DNA sequence: CGAATCTCAGGCGAACTGATATGC
DNA sequence: CGCATATCAGTTGGCCTGAGATTC
């Protein structure tokens, strides 16, 4: 194999490793949150809503690194369960203002506690000294793929 | 916030960074492969089949870090397009032996070329010296989440 | 026989595409 | 007008549960 070919193989390996790590983490997070009746992706939305009261769907999309249609569908599900509320934005007629209900905040805090073992497990997988480098590299990847 | 609480916040940050990086990469890969009429996930299966002729669905599941039902559904789609063939395993009556068709291999090689820019972009996002560390850390994460 | 492994079928939540409506 | 925000319909991928088939 050529030297250039080997380099592209590196890219393939990195992509496969990122894929495997994410899928495994996602499965693990789902397992730790299933008892609370919430999926890992729903937990992501709840955590974004918990740190920043009243945000637009557009802001959720950007911060979750997700898609407008996906976020909307998830919010509809969460709204049916009375965990979030969506109201018309006070000044922008196009936007929706989303926030946690009291039940939603309560649920989120319980879920955060339930998922402590998951975060502990994730942290012990990587040496403390390498964590910052890892997060930094992941952010560079996310940035480069935009 | 307590010191322990901050540590768990680190776990959350790592999880969010991993999520954002994967989702962005997946979108980017899809975009580079769309012209070839194949999704990023289908390309993963094709690449696994290209490097190891005749594998069982179970082996594909493990190597793709995926799920048996997911792999099956994807293979059904690929088989409809005559890119892969599934035959009964010669010795194990339970298993299916999967391999690329001639058309499948041809398609894969074209797709590999099409996706060179994607891999280049991925590699340039991370300094050459940090790539091995990154891949290593990601593999540790995947291992710890199993 | 039971236990384990592989496959298949149906259903759900999530990610995306494309098109559409509405307000800025 | 263009642009941004949200919505709706449809496709694919990921996972689960439960079932059937085969092997050990």
């Amino acid at each position: 194999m050529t030297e250039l070919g080997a380099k592209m193989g590196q890219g393939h390996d990195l992509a496969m490793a990122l894929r495997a790590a994410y899928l495994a983490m996602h499965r693990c997070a789902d397992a730790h949150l299933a008892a609370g009746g919430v999926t890992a992706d729903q937990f992501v939305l709840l955590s974004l809503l918990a740190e920043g009261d009243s945000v637009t769907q557009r802001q959720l999309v950007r911060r979750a690194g997700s898609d407008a249609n996906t976020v909307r569908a998830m919010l509809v599900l969460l709204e049916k369960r009375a965990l979030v509320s969506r109201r018309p934005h006070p000044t922008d007629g196009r936007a929706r203002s989303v926030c946690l209900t009291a039940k939603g905040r309560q649920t989120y805090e319980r879920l955060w506690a339930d998922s402590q073992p998951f975060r502990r497990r994730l942290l012990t997988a990587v040496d403390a000294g390498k964590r910052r480098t890892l997060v930094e590299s992941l952010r560079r990847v996310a940035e480069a793929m935009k």
Side-chain angles (χ1 to χ4, degrees), chain A:
Chain A
M1 181 175 279
T2 68
E3 196 175 333
L4 183 62
K7 249 188 145 172
M8 292 305 111
Q10 277 183 30
H12 188 68
D13 290 346
L14 174 52
M16 292 293 283
L18 180 50
R19 171 190 161 88
Y22 170 76
L23 290 178
M25 179 190 74
H26 192 265
R27 271 191 293 265
C28 187
D30 264 338
H32 278 87
L33 293 165
V38 165
T39 68
D41 300 287
Q42 290 172 350
F43 180 77
V44 168
L45 281 194
L46 294 181
S47 74
L48 291 174
L49 289 169
E51 62 171 39
D53 234 29
S54 206
V55 290
T56 65
Q57 295 189 184
R58 183 70 190 129
Q59 289 172 321
L60 285 176
V61 166
R62 193 176 47 77
R63 294 177 194 171
S66 188
D67 169 84
N69 304 296
T70 302
V71 168
R72 179 197 167 270
M74 290 173 67
L75 288 176
V76 168
L77 289 178
L78 292 173
E79 198 174 30
K80 280 182 188 170
R81 296 169 56 187
L83 298 178
V84 308
S85 78
R86 296 189 298 162
R87 308 177 185 188
H89 193 278
T91 63
D92 190 340
R94 300 167 296 180
R96 290 258 218 167
S97 186
V98 188
C99 62
L100 285 181
T101 62
K103 180 184 173 187
R105 184 167 296 275
Q106 203 174 2
T107 300
Y108 168 68
E109 287 168 4
R110 182 168 46 77
L111 291 168
W112 176 268
D114 290 351
S115 55
Q116 292 271 23
F118 159 74
R119 286 184 294 276
R120 197 184 325 276
R121 198 162 153 186
L122 184 59
L123 286 176
T124 57
V126 186
D127 296 340
K130 292 184 180 171
R131 280 174 207 161
R132 292 193 62 84
T133 308
L134 175 56
V135 173
E136 181 65 25
S137 294
L138 289 173
R139 286 182 179 152
R140 281 186 198 280
V141 168
E143 191 65 25
M145 295 288 118
K146 273 202 284 194

